[in-house]
Amino acid sequence: MNKEEDILLKEGKMLPVMEHFYTIQGEGAHTGKAAYFIRLGGCDVGCHWCDVKESWDPTLHPLMNAEEIAETAAKHCKIVVLTGGEPLMWNLDILTSKLKELGCTIHIETSGAYPLSGQIDWITLSPKKTGLPKEEIYAKAHELKMIVFNNNDFKFAEEQAAKVSENCRLYLQSEWSKRDEMYPKITDFILANPRWQASVQTHKYLNIP
């Protein structure tokens, strides 16, 4: 990356885009809705079970003009999901401002490990032990999505749920490779703690992105 590109990246005029695609949201509160996903490269949270580890190094992904990618997304759908990687590593002001100008509702999927930027309508907070959320994001989260990999994650989920607002929706979602083991436990946990809901990666069952 040259000096000019670095400046444009910091300003949010350019962003490292791993992929962008039109599909159906597969997880959480908006499961089943058509949405345009913009997956930004770059993440230093380092979850060992991450299913998009190729997103971690931002230098592997092309820098794209933020306003142009917004225009592409808006042509397909007015619900746009910013994901990663960790999208809050980057300045999202220009991207989200353009999406808003084009009439879009903007969702973000984040670990919360970086400060919020941009205009966001729906925040899916998915905390990770390796990089805990900034305190200010808990009150703003619309849904808390906790990934369950082992039994210790239920305790972590409860600890994180204690920090979000009472209006935040609470989801437990098994890590994909552990689904046969963990969903029976998730079911039992939800029956004992009915404020929680189950989230399933339906897009993997539908064989879509």
Side-chain angles (χ1 to χ4, degrees):
M1 185 184 304
N2 59 43
K3 186 176 181 180
E4 182 181 356
E5 288 176 333
D6 186 52
I7 292 171
L8 292 171
L9 185 65
K10 289 177 180 176
E11 292 175 344
K13 293 178 179 177
M14 303 286 284
L15 293 166
V17 179
M18 176 182 168
E19 59 182 346
H20 55 102
F21 51 90
Y22 186 37
T23 188
I24 293 174
Q25 172 62 273
E27 305 175 6
H30 296 280
T31 295
K33 294 182 181 179
Y36 199 90
F37 279 71
I38 301 173
R39 185 183 302 281
L40 300 180
C43 184
D44 57 5
V45 178
C47 305
H48 64 91
W49 41 256
C50 177
D51 57 3
V52 280
K53 288 181 179 177
E54 60 272 27
S55 71
W56 288 4
D57 185 351
T59 64
L60 298 179
H61 309 295
L63 290 180
M64 297 184 67
N65 181 285
E67 293 194 341
E68 288 179 2
I69 190 66
E71 289 170 353
T72 298
K75 287 176 184 176
H76 289 83
C77 188
K78 297 306 181 184
I79 295 178
V80 177
V81 181
L82 307 180
T83 186
E86 174 43 69
L88 288 179
M89 284 183 68
W90 313 109
N91 182 345
L92 302 177
D93 292 343
I94 291 174
L95 174 63
T96 57
S97 179
K98 186 64 176 180
L99 287 169
K100 278 294 174 190
E101 180 186 314
L102 295 169
C104 295
T105 298
I106 304 164
H107 299 189
I108 194 166
E109 299 182 355
T110 177
S111 68
Y114 286 83
L116 278 171
S117 64
Q119 302 174 57
I120 310 295
D121 298 292
W122 186 271
I123 298 172
T124 299
L125 178 61
S126 187
K128 307 300 188 294
K129 297 172 187 174
T130 48
L132 292 173
K134 299 289 184 184
E135 284 299 320
E136 61 269 19
I137 200 171
Y138 286 109
K140 297 178 180 179
H142 298 91
E143 65 178 330
L144 179 72
K145 184 176 69 179
M146 302 301 302
I147 307 302
V148 180
F149 183 79
N150 57 43
N151 293 334
N152 293 329
D153 291 328
F154 290 105
K155 181 175 184 293
F156 181 54
E158 288 282 55
E159 291 170 352
Q160 294 301 295
K163 296 186 176 187
V164 297
S165 77
E166 62 181 16
N167 296 320
C168 184
R169 298 176 67 167
L170 307 180
Y171 288 94
L172 294 173
Q173 178 176 298
S174 175
E175 191 276 329
W176 181 250
S177 71
K178 305 274 283 188
R179 62 192 183 278
D180 291 339
E181 175 187 352
M182 299 314 301
Y183 272 118
K185 295 180 180 180
I186 287 173
T187 298
D188 289 342
F189 186 88
I190 292 172
L191 291 174
N193 302 275
R195 64 188 185 129
W196 287 91
Q197 297 175 245
S199 175
V200 179
Q201 291 180 294
T202 58
H203 55 289
K204 293 191 174 180
Y205 288 103
L206 294 173
N207 197 29
I208 57 175

